[in-house]
Amino acid sequence: MHYILTILLLTTCIYAKTADFSIIIDEKFNNALVDVAEDYDRSISAVGFIKKYKDASSNSSAVYTNAFDYLSSLSSSSGSQMHLVKVDNSADIVLRRSIDLSKFNEATSLVKTPQNGYFIGGHTLEGSLVLLKLDSDANKIFVKEFGTPNHDKMSKLVSLRDGGILAVGSSTASSSQSYDIFKNGLGLNDIYVARFSKNGTMLWSKKYGSYEDDAGVDAVEADDGSIIVLGKINKDNRLGATLMRITEHGDKIWLHEQLEDRGITPHRIIKLRDSAFAISLSQKDEMNKEQIRVIKIDLQKNILQDKTIHTTYSSVLKDIREYSDGRIVGVGYVQDSYDTDGLAMLLDSKFSMLLQEHYGSRDYDSFNALDILHDSKIAVAGVHTNQDSQETNMWLLKLNQDLSISQLSYKSTDFYSMLSELFRDEIQRGELLIKEDLSINFSDERLYFQVGEYKLTDVQKSFLDRFGKKLFTFLYENKEKIATLEINGHTSSEWGESDFSNSYIKNERLSMNRSFATLSYMFKSQNDKRQKWLSEILKGSGLSFSKKIVVNDTEDKERSRRASFKVLLLND
């Protein structure tokens, strides 16, 4: 496997990010991000957990008469806590909050609300299921603790069309059929499903299973409102997958078990654009290596496609999504004898592999979840282990469609600072001004045009040589972030005795000539490689006197006769 993650540790921060869109949040002990979603403001939110340890000094004076009492006192001293992270397009953390609950807990799933808030699902370490609704600033709206009298765990929250939420997980099997929600389960564990309204009211909760060991993994809502539940089963020491279709009220319509000698592990089910369903599984081959298997079924559990993707190393896709053109993107992990890396894979509509990439260091790294963003890039949440460390860290990154790591989107304020530093001497000499919108205007009177003139003077050419060398080199070094470089020509508003209409038209032509003279002179001074790149970003415009310089309600005609520049970034 190859390694293409470079980590730049920031000694003054608790997280590190690279020149690529890759953020590693390093907290004490083991931590992870388990789910991710795009926010309506185009930022990215991810949920996971961090480890918290209570101060043991408060009980230092306690006296215990036996070892069991002492161990009981320690049982609530350490554990996990749900943690939410939100980052902007520059990979800066804009919100980070641990969800303070009375019991230690772990998050397993994240769903966005129409108000740009969050539903977060998980479970306490004591065995209760938890559903939280947060506002856009991660303030708690409500917390629901629910489940059975037994030990329960949540696997996934599923967004429903009515704005409600479906919680899918597992519950230790009931010892009695007297429980109202009991549905045919006396095995080790059963599938547990609960439905909530958008306001957090539980509409129903039910258990499903066999006399074997069952657990809920995921679910998806069909077009008719019924629900397909994906589960796993351990029967006679064989691992398998279960598919169950239930009504919107939780009544079972059909159940299908998929058991094979080599064992199957289910990971995710999604609804496709053609209303069929794709299921991500993993299955061991004859060499005992996990291989990816993707199955497509219809609403009547007919298998439409069944594809095993053979890879050199053990590989698993823990989460999958469909692009608008039918391609499938998935993330998970790839493992050899030495380490585990995060895996990203792109499949065509027939589930044949198109691309795969591995990301990580020489220790344990894994991707847990993904979300396809509005621009078809991919947000990924997972875990990363620093070299020579035994503790996992939260990991959030963004991939392009070709599965390469996306570059950071710089803010205009970042570029403003860099341009201001680049032209610090020119600014101090009063030759130019740079604004935060990345516009550049000349302020030396020798750089203005004379009345009616557009041909460059020797002074203007000399300055443009120095200015262009700096500007074009800087922009070329940051070309992945540059959308356009505008070179605009301007005029003052007068034109002899002409009326307004003729004055504007004649000044428009003059301003275009000034733009062209400046653009062509600077362009011709570049080498072929630089010229080809500039041809893709340069935009020359004549603005007549629409942007004339006005000081104290009076036009400054001399300063209005100019050329100006403006940098537009790709994320503007």
Side-chain angles (χ1 to χ4, degrees), residues 201-257:
T201 301
M202 180 183 284
L203 304 178
W204 53 262
S205 64
K206 297 184 180 182
K207 290 174 66 173
Y208 312 85
S210 64
Y211 287 94
E212 311 300 332
D213 191 5
D214 304 285
V217 174
D218 195 11
V220 65
E221 187 177 23
D223 289 337
D224 65 354
S226 63
I227 297 165
I228 308 295
V229 179
L230 176 66
K232 58 184 178 181
I233 184 172
N234 188 340
K235 185 175 184 179
D236 300 327
N237 292 321
R238 292 191 301 165
L239 297 177
T242 61
L243 283 169
M244 177 175 60
R245 183 183 174 198
I246 59 177
T247 68
E248 61 181 312
H249 303 294
D251 300 322
K252 187 162 59 178
I253 300 174
W254 53 253
L255 174 68
H256 174 72
E257 291 183 358

Side-chain angles (χ1 to χ4, degrees), residues 488-543:
N488 299 313
H490 305 267
T491 69
S492 56
S493 61
E494 85 273 24
W495 194 281
E497 300 298 325
S498 298
D499 58 19
F500 179 85
S501 177
N502 286 323
S503 176
Y504 177 81
I505 295 299
K506 291 177 180 179
N507 275 306
E508 174 63 22
R509 181 168 57 187
L510 177 60
S511 65
M512 287 192 291
N513 286 338
R514 288 173 176 172
S515 170
F516 178 77
T518 305
L519 185 153
S520 60
Y521 179 79
M522 298 179 72
F523 182 84
K524 290 177 180 178
S525 66
Q526 306 302 307
N527 59 37
D528 290 344
K529 182 178 180 180
R530 192 70 61 84
Q531 284 184 348
K532 289 179 180 178
W533 169 70
L534 285 171
S535 69
E536 298 174 355
I537 68 164
L538 280 178
K539 176 184 177 183
S541 300
L543 301 181

Side-chain angles (χ1 to χ4, degrees), residues 322-369:
E322 183 188 25
Y323 274 113
S324 58
D325 60 4
R327 292 177 301 160
I328 301 293
V329 61
V331 298
Y333 63 83
V334 56
Q335 187 176 48
D336 64 11
S337 302
Y338 302 99
D339 75 313
T340 301
D341 283 344
L343 170 66
M345 185 175 288
L346 188 65
L347 313 176
D348 65 18
S349 60
K350 302 297 183 182
F351 305 151
S352 295
M353 184 174 65
L354 301 174
L355 295 169
Q356 67 166 318
E357 288 290 348
H358 307 166
Y359 292 96
S361 61
R362 295 187 179 275
D363 291 284
Y364 178 81
D365 306 277
S366 179
F367 295 155
N368 292 323

